Amino acid sequence: MSSGRESVHVGRDGWLFLTGGTNRVMDRYRGGLRHWLLLRGWTRLIKARARRAEDLGIRCLHVIVPEKLSVYDDKTDGLRYAPGKASTRRLARRLARHPAYLDLLAPLRAARNGATPLYLRTDTHWTAQGCLLAYREIMRALGAVPPADIGGRPGTVSEQIMDLGEKLPERPRERLERFMLQRDAMRVETGPLLAAYEAQGRDREVHVGAHVVYRNPSPGADPRRLVLFGDSCAHFDPFLLTGLLAESFSEVHFIWSSSLDWPYIERVRPDILLFEIAERFLAKLPKDDFDVAVAGQRGTGGRLARLGSDGLGRAVAPQ
């Protein structure tokens, strides 16, 4: 993401919107042959993944987390773009009634004027309530029943400078609410990359390659095993989508990657393969050549090992 006000649009009532960055967010709202070809590629990829998963006896589901620009276009206050051309909107049309794709744009837009915002005003991510809404849609699509108290779990509240707010000179703070979801599920496995960063107290720097496994022995948990390839809207810590799913299914594997690791999937043989990605990351079509084991070792013996002698501030998480 590029820095500076030029990548952030200041909308109505303090709402901030990402408009630049390495993924060229505004390109997700343009037409033309290049975008048409990209969405055709995603459509073919989703269908091919579903066929391969079905051959393995696995239920496959894809969800794209819409950009705030796609959901809250009424808050943009004069920004010139075409929300009707959003990639999520067009993918929903291409994959209408396909069992491997779940449209999150329609339910999020339908609920956007509720009492609780679904996205953070000064950040690119959804709020706990936005994530909870999406989780309920996912559970419905999977024929699963959420725990009765899942929306009433205790939470924490803090005032923080979020990812878009920190790009502005005034650095506005926002009230951040997070669910404390973890009760029945336990993290039983942590990949070496995440473990190494956590040992240094630098887990916030970990992105692609983070890998965790949760198990839930509760008799009320759905007995199915789920593998989730996702990003920061799911997260490895149990306060967003991964945490909600871990409290719902007997076993949940989370891998931070937009590219699938099919040998890993074939070894685990989950009942459900779930793929989650933020709309801006549709800019690049995955090759599905990810290797969980190789990614888990990246950086653990080099950059992190130097932290003890070089001091803080030199390690950079893989992107």
Side-chain angles (χ1 to χ4, degrees), residues 83-278:
K85 293 182 178 180
S87 297
T88 43
R89 190 181 295 271
R90 286 191 274 184
L91 273 178
R93 287 198 297 264
R94 283 175 171 269
L95 292 162
R97 295 181 295 279
H98 195 288
Y101 186 80
L102 175 63
D103 175 27
L104 292 182
L105 179 59
L108 285 167
R109 283 182 63 89
R112 69 181 184 179
N113 294 321
T116 305
L118 304 177
Y119 286 71
L120 292 158
R121 287 185 302 105
T122 62
D123 192 274
T124 56
H125 294 85
W126 49 20
T127 62
Q129 291 299 325
C131 186
L132 182 63
L133 185 154
Y135 155 81
R136 293 190 185 280
E137 293 292 325
I138 291 168
M139 293 291 280
R140 187 177 297 112
L142 295 175
V145 179
D149 70 334
I150 197 70
R153 299 281 173 95
T156 63
V157 179
S158 60
E159 293 281 335
Q160 295 192 24
I161 300 173
M162 306 306 292
D163 65 358
L164 297 180
E166 68 182 5
K167 293 181 176 297
L168 303 184
E170 55 269 31
R171 294 171 66 83
R173 302 179 73 87
E174 180 167 6
R175 186 173 184 267
L176 177 65
E177 297 184 42
R178 280 183 172 168
F179 286 131
M180 302 294 290
L181 291 165
Q182 193 168 14
R183 186 189 65 194
D184 300 324
M186 299 171 289
R187 191 201 284 189
V188 297
E189 184 178 335
T190 304
L193 176 66
L194 177 57
Y197 273 87
E198 286 184 331
Q200 294 286 348
R202 304 172 70 88
D203 51 293
R204 291 188 177 184
E205 299 176 21
V206 185
H207 301 95
V208 175
H211 171 217
V212 292
V213 178
Y214 289 91
R215 289 206 182 101
N216 186 344
S218 168
D222 189 300
R224 290 176 290 180
R225 179 184 299 158
L226 183 148
V227 169
L228 165 61
F229 285 81
D231 56 27
S232 56
C233 291
H235 210 274
F236 48 82
D237 279 332
F239 60 85
L240 285 174
L241 185 58
T242 298
L244 289 163
L245 294 168
E247 288 295 309
S248 307
F249 290 90
S250 65
E251 185 169 302
V252 171
H253 298 232
F254 170 77
I255 299 101
W256 195 318
S257 172
S258 62
S259 184
L260 301 188
D261 179 345
W262 279 106
Y264 180 91
I265 295 166
E266 290 167 1
R267 285 195 303 274
V268 174
R269 284 296 174 110
D271 301 284
I272 300 165
L273 171 61
L274 179 61
F275 177 82
E276 172 273 318
I277 193 173

Side-chain angles (χ1 to χ4, degrees), residues 1-49:
M1 190 186 301
S2 61
S3 61
R5 184 181 286 270
E6 70 275 4
S7 68
V8 178
H9 173 75
V10 181
R12 186 176 305 156
D13 301 325
W15 281 78
L16 303 181
F17 297 87
L18 180 66
T19 56
T22 57
N23 292 292
R24 300 173 61 91
V25 173
M26 298 306 286
D27 283 357
R28 306 284 70 76
Y29 303 92
R30 297 195 173 107
L33 179 61
R34 183 176 179 181
H35 199 178
W36 184 86
L37 290 171
L38 180 64
L39 292 180
R40 185 183 67 171
W42 272 102
T43 301
R44 290 177 172 178
L45 178 65
I46 289 169
K47 290 180 177 180
R49 285 173 170 178

